[in-house]
Amino acid sequence: MARKTGSHSDITGPRVRAAALKLFAAHGFAAVSMRQIAAEVGVQAGALYLYTPDKQSLLFDLMRDHMQDVLNAWAAEEKPEGPVKELEAFSRFHIRFHLGRPEEVFISYMELRNLEPDNFEALGAMRRTYEGVLEDILTRGQDEGLFDVDDVKLTTLALIAMLNGVTSWYKPDGRLSLARVEAIYSDMAGKSVRMPRWKERQRKAEATQIA
Amino acid sequence: MARKTGSHSDITGPRVRAAALKLFAAHGFAAVSMRQIAAEVGVQAGALYLYTPDKQSLLFDLMRDHMQDVLNAWAAEEKPEGPVKELEAFSRFHIRFHLGRPEEVFISYMELRNLEPDNFEALGAMRRTYEGVLEDILTRGQDEGLFDVDDVKLTTLALIAMLNGVTSWYKPDGRLSLARVEAIYSDMAGKSVRMPRWKERQRKAEATQIA
DNA sequence: GGTTGATGTGAACGTGTGTTCAGATAGGGT
DNA sequence: ACCCTATCTGAACACACGTTCACATCAACC
């Protein structure tokens, strides 16, 4: 029976998660104690266990929810037609989404090794799903002769690494606006995989020659 | 007076560092105890303090030595002429060097936040020096009209992030050889910044038109 | 207005932490 | 043969850890 007034559980619960997010991102999962999290919330350590079964779950829930958010947000995104524009849309989406959640991103890529095996596997599956989106775009672009990609899997990982790197230096009040960063990254991503014009011409020339 | 036979300090010292490297890379600095390191070496925890003043120094020394190795190795590398070939040489060097030291690389980019302020600053300076190498190549290429880079600093960080990403998935016995990975990455890096031919032609056309 | 149940306290449990240090050990120098 | 000293042990220090639990508090309901 949920209380209406005076019930703190609706408030404290999210605050616990917010505190954990902030502290894990700043100092690392292993370096943060339950007492520090409790202090950030303004509560005693024991009270945390009303909102999480243990410290590990606190970490995993943050990571899982974040990955789910990414996947949902991409699913809701409007997709343009053709691999070239899709790649640009993906790059822009990735940069925009990740810059809006620097702490979640940081945790999701830094604390993987602190997950227990089952949780690690579950999160790995979600990550592979997301990478699959990019891999699919590259594959179709390659098939249509629009991209010149040596190895799709490797290129996928290289691009994701590049795009993720943005979170390690971007400051909202920095020199470059979000829009500019978004543009530069998506441009670099596009250029790094697109079929060069001379190669395209050569390909067409060979095709007509054979025919 | 150093012993010749039976002296273990020449042996135990490096073993302590090797154990710390291995364990820090596998589980993270904060999650590894001095007793675990000692056990890996086959010694009691107290003995470690004959080789390091404290745990923090153990981490910092590993990171500083690694960065110094990178800088030295690049200094010793033979450099080709021209920004385009220099960029390729840098990319290939970076991939090759980093894939040969996965643990050092992992630590150097994951454990920065566990460094005390002074150590953090010292390592940051070394990292900026290394990034300066790439930044310099891009700047010169841009000046010579060979590269089409929107923002040199941002592009530097994006490329470094992409190249570093390789360490998070590469397995020596995997599908792709080191040489192939090296080639693909340096190719992507080059394409992502190089001036497109059509833009180059346009630039030259405008130049003659003005003259 | 007394009862109930959600919410939180504060102390305690057992274990582990980084670090120190008196003492054991054993090989090299004389 | 003896001493010296580099090397290491094993116990101890004070403190922090994640987690549990008996108990307090207090708003909402009958």
Side-chain angles (χ1 to χ4, degrees):
Chain A
M1 209 173 296
R3 301 187 191 178
K4 295 199 173 152
T5 325
S7 171
H8 297 168
S9 114
D10 311 350
I11 299 167
T12 310
R15 294 228 304 148
V16 168
R17 296 167 51 87
L21 175 65
K22 172 181 170 180
L23 293 173
F24 288 167
H27 311 295
F29 174 75
V32 172
S33 71
M34 293 300 267
R35 283 171 181 82
Q36 288 176 52
I37 298 172
E40 176 83 18
V41 176
V43 98
Q44 293 297 318
L48 298 181
Y49 291 85
L50 292 167
Y51 303 98
T52 182
D54 48 36
K55 195 187 173 192
Q56 167 78 199
S57 301
L58 212 41
L59 174 64
F60 177 63
D61 287 354
L62 288 173
M63 295 174 79
R64 187 206 43 205
D65 289 0
H66 170 64
M67 280 309 297
Q68 197 59 61
D69 286 350
V70 179
L71 292 172
N72 291 344
W74 173 251
E77 195 84 354
E78 206 170 330
K79 279 112 192 156
E81 278 197 13
V84 173
K85 293 204 168 172
E86 271 183 85
L87 175 59
E88 182 183 344
F90 180 85
S91 303
R92 286 179 176 275
F93 163 80
H94 187 97
I95 295 286
R96 188 175 353 108
F97 189 89
H98 284 60
L99 283 186
R101 293 160 178 75
E103 291 169 327
E104 284 88 342
V105 173
F106 206 67
I107 289 180
S108 290
Y109 280 81
M110 295 280 277
E111 304 296 353
L112 279 168
R113 60 176 159 191
N114 285 309
L115 289 176
E116 285 161 8
D118 285 1
N119 292 340
F120 182 86
E121 187 44 47
L123 213 86
M126 299 178 82
R127 245 182 47 168
R128 282 190 294 276
T129 300
Y130 185 66
E131 289 166 1
V133 169
L134 177 54
E135 194 175 324
D136 183 54
I137 294 173
L138 293 180
T139 301
R140 282 184 287 110
Q142 178 82 342
D143 290 349
E144 297 180 23
L146 298 166
F147 293 160
D148 180 31
V149 173
D150 189 321
D151 185 277
V152 171
K153 276 197 189 302
L154 190 163
T155 305
T156 299
L157 296 173
L159 286 180
I160 296 249
M162 186 178 82
L163 296 175
N164 275 335
V166 75
T167 57
S168 67
W169 57 263
Y170 184 78
K171 300 284 170 292
D173 52 349
R175 189 165 51 87
L176 300 166
S177 71
L178 203 162
R180 181 105 183 276
V181 173
E182 206 182 295
I184 295 177
Y185 269 89
S186 76
D187 184 54
M188 283 183 72
K191 285 203 294 188
S192 71
V193 304
R194 212 162 323 162
M195 175 76 68
R197 302 205 169 187
W198 65 270
K199 242 188 179 175
E200 201 179 353
R201 278 196 299 273
Q202 183 179 315
R203 204 173 56 85
K204 283 185 179 167
E206 281 171 3
T208 44
Q209 194 178 344
I210 289 168
Chain B
M1 211 174 296
R3 302 187 194 179
K4 296 199 173 153
T5 326
S7 170
H8 296 167
S9 119
D10 310 351
I11 299 167
T12 310
R15 293 228 304 149
V16 168
R17 297 165 50 86
L21 175 66
K22 173 181 168 180
L23 292 174
F24 288 166
H27 310 296
F29 174 75
V32 171
S33 71
M34 293 301 265
R35 283 170 180 81
Q36 286 175 52
I37 298 172
E40 177 83 19
V41 177
V43 99
Q44 292 298 318
L48 298 181
Y49 291 84
L50 293 167
Y51 304 99
T52 184
D54 48 35
K55 195 187 174 191
Q56 167 79 198
S57 301
L58 212 41
L59 174 63
F60 177 63
D61 287 355
L62 288 172
M63 295 173 79
R64 188 205 43 203
D65 289 1
H66 170 64
M67 280 310 297
Q68 198 58 65
D69 286 351
V70 179
L71 292 172
N72 290 344
W74 172 251
E77 194 84 353
E78 205 169 334
K79 280 111 189 158
E81 279 196 12
V84 173
K85 291 203 168 171
E86 271 182 86
L87 175 59
E88 183 183 344
F90 180 85
S91 304
R92 285 180 177 274
F93 163 79
H94 188 98
I95 295 287
R96 190 176 349 111
F97 189 89
H98 284 60
L99 283 186
R101 291 158 180 76
E103 291 169 329
E104 284 89 342
V105 174
F106 206 67
I107 288 180
S108 290
Y109 280 80
M110 295 281 276
E111 304 296 352
L112 279 171
R113 59 176 158 192
N114 285 309
L115 288 177
E116 287 162 7
D118 287 0
N119 293 338
F120 182 86
E121 187 43 48
L123 214 87
M126 298 179 81
R127 244 186 43 173
R128 283 190 294 276
T129 300
Y130 185 66
E131 288 167 3
V133 169
L134 177 54
E135 196 176 322
D136 183 55
I137 294 173
L138 293 181
T139 301
R140 282 185 286 112
Q142 178 82 343
D143 291 347
E144 297 181 24
L146 298 165
F147 294 159
D148 180 31
V149 173
D150 189 320
D151 185 276
V152 171
K153 278 198 187 301
L154 192 162
T155 306
T156 299
L157 295 172
L159 286 180
I160 297 248
M162 186 178 81
L163 295 175
N164 274 337
V166 74
T167 57
S168 67
W169 57 263
Y170 183 79
K171 298 283 171 294
D173 52 347
R175 189 165 51 86
L176 300 167
S177 70
L178 202 163
R180 182 105 181 276
V181 174
E182 206 183 295
I184 295 177
Y185 269 88
S186 76
D187 184 54
M188 283 183 72
K191 286 202 294 189
S192 71
V193 302
R194 211 160 329 170
M195 176 75 69
R197 303 207 168 187
W198 65 269
K199 243 188 181 178
E200 199 179 355
R201 278 195 299 274
Q202 184 179 313
R203 202 172 57 86
K204 284 186 180 168
E206 282 171 4
T208 46
Q209 194 177 342
I210 289 167

